[in-house]
Amino acid sequence: MNPRLRNLVIGVVAFVAAVTFFLLMVSAISGRSGQAAGEAAPAAQPSAVDPDAPVVAFYGDSYTLGTGASDPSHRWSTAISLERGWNEFNPSVNGLGFVNNRSSTPPDYGPDDEVPKIIEAQPDIVFVTMGLNDNFSMPGRADDIQDAITTDLETLRDELPDARLIVVEPFWYTDARPDSVEQIIGWVREGAEAVGADHIAGASRWIEGHPEWMAADRQHPNDDGYAEMTRRMEAALDELGL
């Protein structure tokens, strides 16, 4: 083969190999759905147990969606639903807060907002696990956050009067805790008391001090972290008689 042609062929082969390697790396990082490796694919209803079993809705952010888990079955909401024979309805959203990443502003709910979706599902039990992401809007939107907490909880109580409402202390993800964490925890607790909801305290510290329980992004739990959250939630629900 002509030396010049041989060098050209070698160059083309090397280029194709490099592009192939790059695409494989992108595929490994992104996953088929475009999510980061290790993230759970969003699913509103992953666990249909029995059509006659209680319907349990989960109103939350990425920590309830299960982001960071290797599979949605490892998230705490699905684990406790399967354990208790519940039909899970989980429209949780990454980055969601009482004001953050909302598709509408309470009380002017849009059809894509999680509160109307939960009401439409007519659940027997509703878990509210919100507040983490609102810390990133503090202190500038403090009044808006307080108003949204009140409106969301009152709306769920008014529209689902027969449902058991369980409000969980907002989760948190770092050992460092800005002052806003305790402020929002307090507002959520007061909101729960005002509507007569059950309140689960202490959840902001459930995975505190355990970096080994965090996924590669250092922002979300991994499977072990969700297993600990499941254990803690199971204990809290036992105390509530559920």
Side-chain angles (χ1 to χ4, degrees), residues 153 188-197 199:
L153 295 181
V188 169
R189 182 180 62 250
E190 291 166 2
E193 292 171 353
V195 298
H199 179 257

Side-chain angles (χ1 to χ4, degrees), residues 18 48-49 51 65 74 87 98-99 102 112-113 122 142 160 200 205 210 216-217:
V49 178
L65 177 65
H74 294 296
N87 288 312
F98 287 105
V99 301
R102 292 292 287 267
D112 292 334
D113 195 277
Q122 290 294 296
L160 299 169
I200 294 177
R205 297 188 182 274
H210 287 275
D217 65 4

Side-chain angles (χ1 to χ4, degrees), residues 53-109:
V55 174
V56 182
F58 295 85
Y59 176 30
D61 51 38
S62 58
Y63 273 53
T64 302
L65 177 65
T67 302
S70 63
D71 185 87
S73 63
H74 294 296
R75 64 188 181 187
W76 67 266
S77 61
T78 300
I80 66 169
S81 294
L82 291 172
E83 174 67 23
R84 285 171 159 71
W86 293 341
N87 288 312
E88 177 188 9
F89 178 72
N90 188 343
S92 299
V93 172
N94 283 319
L96 189 65
F98 287 105
V99 301
N100 281 39
N101 200 30
R102 292 292 287 267
S103 65
S104 59
T105 302
D108 299 319
Y109 295 107

Side-chain angles (χ1 to χ4, degrees), residues 5 7 12 18 36 42 58 81 84 90 112 121 149 152 163 168 196 203-204 216 241:
L5 179 60
N7 290 339
V12 170
F58 295 85
S81 294
R84 285 171 159 71
N90 188 343
D112 292 334
I149 291 170
D152 277 355
V168 181
S204 67

Side-chain angles (χ1 to χ4, degrees), residues 159-236:
E159 297 296 326
L160 299 169
D162 297 326
R164 187 161 184 176
L165 188 56
I166 301 172
V167 179
V168 181
E169 178 178 296
F171 300 125
W172 189 243
Y173 70 106
T174 64
D175 293 347
R177 296 165 66 92
D179 292 342
S180 60
V181 172
E182 296 302 330
Q183 288 179 300
I184 294 174
I185 285 173
W187 296 337
V188 169
R189 182 180 62 250
E190 291 166 2
E193 292 171 353
V195 298
D198 294 308
H199 179 257
I200 294 177
S204 67
R205 297 188 182 274
W206 281 357
I207 56 174
E208 185 178 59
H210 287 275
E212 74 277 12
W213 290 345
M214 301 300 287
D217 65 4
R218 295 301 177 195
Q219 295 180 348
H220 299 96
N222 57 21
D223 289 350
D224 291 337
Y226 282 115
E228 177 63 15
M229 293 175 70
T230 299
R231 186 185 71 80
R232 295 290 194 109
M233 190 66 75
E234 292 276 16

Side-chain angles (χ1 to χ4, degrees), residues 118-168:
I118 288 171
I119 293 169
E120 184 179 4
Q122 290 294 296
D124 300 284
I125 302 171
V126 179
F127 282 79
V128 177
T129 59
M130 297 275 284
L132 185 158
N133 292 294
D134 296 300
N135 285 277
F136 308 121
S137 293
M138 288 285 286
R141 299 193 67 188
D143 290 343
D144 293 338
I145 294 168
Q146 286 182 279
D147 289 344
I149 291 170
T150 298
T151 302
D152 277 355
L153 295 181
E154 288 183 348
T155 300
L156 289 169
R157 171 54 69 221
D158 291 344
E159 297 296 326
L160 299 169
D162 297 326
R164 187 161 184 176
L165 188 56
I166 301 172
V167 179
V168 181

